[in-house]
Amino acid sequence: MKIHPMTIIAGYRMAAECARNALLKRTMDNKDNTDKFRSDLMNIAMTTLSSKILSQDKEYFAELAVDAVLRLKGSTNLESIQILKKPGGSLKDSFLDEGFILDKKIGLGQPKRIENANILVANTAMDTDKVKIYGARVRVDSMAKVADIEAAEKQKMREKVQKIIGHGINCFVNRQLIYNFPEELFADAGILAVEHADFEGIERLALVTGGDIASTFDNPESVKLGHCKLIEEIMIGEDRLIHFSGVAMGQACTIVLRGASEHVLDEAERSLHDALCVLSQTVTDTRVIYGGGWPEMVMSKEVDELARKTPGKKSHAIDAFSRALQAIPTIIADNAGLDSAELISQLRAEHHKVNSTAGIDVISGGLGDMQKRGICEAFKVKQAIVLSATEAAEMILRVDEIITCAPRRREDRM
């Protein structure tokens, strides 16, 4: 239409601002009413889960996700929510456990239960029973000398273990191996030693218990120990795991997912992670809007009115923005195998009534009242979508010409 890109961008900006204001006028905020806010969160979680593998048990998993996020008390750090996948059982057997679960067994001869634990989280080699200098040769003239070397190594290990015990701990978690000899020393001292704590798990464990990961043990006063009220062994399915409860970071919890196979569990974890992300953002910005194509129609109607009032070429861009917004309800209808043209025209007519809450109800295959259906989305997410999509479109419009370089010719190696 021979309109300059800058004019189109100016129109888009006006339209995006108008769309955002239209949504702002229609948001609901129940942060002062705990029960209502919780039901908003439940609705958002169920809306998020309804298109994924967890849809058949969406109420159950929405409850899990909401409980986990409310424990965070407004923080958006999802690191402290650990998701543990254990094959076996059905999805309904999944549960939320407060505290932290480490997928490791407790070693032999060690205490199975420790109260008021002081935990040292470390990343250090505890397997120096062998001379570790590769390619080194030690020549001795009798077998007695070999025994001396072994005794010296054992002594070195014993000193290291003594330094660690000197921190006044009763639980030692290491990211690397712990050989039999040091494990025996720890067991004698009544210390629970855990080896090979998984890579991510150990960082999360340090975060949750409020300790640091240590690798040298010469000055105990500078090492920050982790704390928790109780460490015990629990069984999930056929596996034994270590459970840390009453951890220093009170908001930490573990969601244990059960399912028939690894694939189901992976998919369930992804779906649950989506729900947790949306919920944690909603807790920081408590405004909620209806879903199901309703927000796009509200924005489209306001932007359309703005286009009629705006003189000049900008109005074409604003009008195009309004039409583009209607693509979302169209896609929702198409994905559900419904007649999108018919539904969108009905929806547009509905939205010309004042304060309509109509959206697409894919279950009944017609229009539905989003308020009664409890289909909700987070305002923050919707706002981010509108603004970032507009910015992306602007960026593309600003590119006036793409110059590609001819590929470099390869010299023949022959």
Side-chain angles (χ1 to χ4, degrees), residues 70 255 269 280 356:
L70 288 178
I255 297 176
E269 181 188 27
S280 66
S356 161

Side-chain angles (χ1 to χ4, degrees), residues 109-129:
Q110 295 183 350
K112 298 279 187 219
R113 177 187 169 93
I114 293 179
E115 293 185 10
N116 294 334
N118 292 331
I119 307 161
L120 176 63
V121 185
N123 179 9
T124 179
M126 298 297 284
D127 52 356
T128 42
D129 299 16

Side-chain angles (χ1 to χ4, degrees), residues 322-334:
S322 159
R323 283 200 306 280
L325 282 168
Q326 291 178 16
I328 302 278
T330 311
I331 293 167
I332 293 177
D334 285 342

Side-chain angles (χ1 to χ4, degrees), residues 12 16-17 20 321 380-396:
Y12 276 0
E17 189 57 34
R20 184 170 169 270
F321 194 97
K380 191 174 179 182
V381 176
K382 208 42 130 185
Q383 170 181 291
I385 292 171
V386 172
L387 300 182
S388 52
T390 313
E391 278 180 18
E394 281 182 22
M395 294 290 285
I396 295 167

Side-chain angles (χ1 to χ4, degrees), residues 71-112:
R71 286 182 65 89
L72 292 178
K73 299 187 177 59
S75 125
T76 51
N77 182 7
L78 293 179
E79 276 293 305
S80 51
I81 299 178
Q82 184 199 15
I83 298 181
L84 200 65
K85 298 178 290 196
K86 282 282 163 209
S90 68
L91 282 169
K92 263 280 170 66
D93 296 338
S94 307
F95 61 92
L96 177 79
D97 196 308
E98 55 187 79
F100 184 88
I101 297 178
L102 190 65
D103 195 355
K104 288 285 154 218
K105 296 186 181 72
I106 290 181
L108 293 170
Q110 295 183 350
K112 298 279 187 219

Side-chain angles (χ1 to χ4, degrees), residues 238-252:
E238 295 165 9
D239 298 343
R240 292 170 183 274
L241 303 101
I242 306 172
H243 182 230
F244 297 79
S245 51
V247 288
M249 191 176 187
Q251 55 256 52

